[in-house]
Amino acid sequence: MNRIFRRNETLVAITIVGLCLIIGLNNPTFFTVGNLFTLLRSSIVTGIFAMGVLIVLISGGIDVSFTAVAVFALHATTKLLMAYSPDAPIWLFFIVAAVIGLGLGMINAFFIAQFKLPTLIVTLGTLSMIHGFLLFAIGNQIIRDVPPAMTAFARSSLMNIPQERGMAILHPAVIMTIVIAFGVWLLLRYTMLGRGIYALGGAPEAADRAGFNITRIQYFIYAFVGLLSGIAGMTFGSLARQSNPQDIVGMELNVIAAVVLGGATLTGGRGTVIGTILGVILVIIANNSLILIGVPTVWQRVVIGIIILVGTGIPAIQARRAGKQSFGLADA
C-alpha cells in the first residue's frame, strides 16, 4: 500500500481529485457535462504535445522547439493547400502538416545525433530560427478564411448532450489524442526501441555498450516529436478555424510542466504515459477552471507554479528518504 502512495501518479491523481472537489463545491458548474467536454477539448493539443515531450525527457534530452514546429506546419500547410487544393479533405491537411513537422524535427535530430550538441541549445536555436523564418518568409498575417475542410472539422462532434444553456459537444479529436497516447504507451512498453529510449536516458554509455544504436534512437525521437508537433499544430488551427503565426509558441512551459508533474524527470530514464495524462489533466484544470472559484487570470500562473513546486518536490523528498533508508539498511 505504501508503494502505491509513493508513486507519482497516485499523488497527482489525489491532487486532481482534491482540486476538483474544491472547485466543484464552490461552483457546481464544474461538475456539468458541458464543462467536462470543454476540459477534454482543451486537453487535445496539450495531450498530443505531451506525448512527444515525454519521449524526449525519458531519453534525457529536452525539446523547446515543438511549438514553433507546430505553428510553422499549420501556417505552411494552410497556405499551401489554399493555393493548390482548397477543397482537399481534412486528412490531407494532417498528412502534409505531419510531413512538414517531421522534416523540421529532422533538423534537431541531425545536430543532436551527429554532433552530440546539447539538446536545449539546439532546440532553442531551432525555435528561434523556425519562428523567425515563419514571420519573415511566410508572413504574420492571420488566415481567418480557412478551407472548408478545417471549418467542417471544427464543427464536427462525437456526442451531443442537451444542456440548460445550449449543447455540450464532445469533439472527435479527443479520440485522436487517445490513439496517439496508446501508440506511445505500446512503443515504450513493448518494443526494443522503447527500451532503448529508457536506456539512453538512464545511462547512455551503458546503453551503447548494451548494443543500442544511440544515433538512430535520437533520430527517431526528434523526428517523432516533429511529426506529432505537425499534427498538434493542424489540430489547433482546425479547432480555432484560423492560422495565426503568433499562436501556440509560448505553450512550451505548460506542456513540459505537465509531463514533469506526471513523473518524468529532467535527468532522463523515468516517465510514463499514464502519469503524463494525469499531469496534462491537472494543468488543464488549473488553467481553465480556477476562474470558476474566483481566482483571477493573472494569478493562475502563480497557482500552477505552486502546483509544480509541490508536485515535483514531494516525490524528490520521498526519493531522498528512500535512498537514506536503503543506505542505512546497507550499513546495518
Side-chain angles (χ1 to χ4, degrees), residues 235-306:
T235 306
F236 182 94
S238 298
L239 293 177
R241 280 183 280 176
Q242 69 174 23
S243 175
N244 183 352
Q246 303 294 345
D247 279 340
I248 305 179
V249 175
M251 290 177 62
E252 304 92 5
L253 289 182
N254 273 351
V255 176
I256 293 172
V259 179
V260 172
L261 278 172
T265 58
L266 294 176
T267 52
R270 288 184 58 191
T272 63
V273 171
I274 296 296
T276 300
I277 292 173
L278 290 171
V280 169
I281 293 171
L282 180 57
V283 169
I284 292 297
I285 290 175
N287 268 329
N288 291 34
S289 300
L290 288 178
I291 196 164
L292 294 178
I293 57 174
V295 177
T297 306
V298 293
W299 280 98
Q300 288 178 12
R301 295 184 69 85
V302 177
V303 175
I304 291 172
I306 293 171

Side-chain angles (χ1 to χ4, degrees), residues 6-62:
R6 283 176 189 163
R7 290 176 63 91
N8 203 77
E9 290 89 342
T10 308
L11 294 173
V12 177
I14 292 172
T15 306
I16 291 172
V17 172
L19 191 59
C20 289
L21 288 175
I22 292 172
I23 298 172
L25 292 175
N26 281 278
N27 191 332
T29 304
F30 180 78
F31 288 129
T32 60
V33 176
N35 186 58
L36 173 64
F37 286 179
T38 300
L39 291 176
L40 286 174
R41 186 182 176 107
S42 300
S43 65
I44 291 170
V45 174
T46 305
I48 297 173
F49 277 140
M51 290 302 120
V53 171
L54 169 67
I55 290 180
V56 175
L57 290 186
I58 290 175
S59 73
I62 191 165

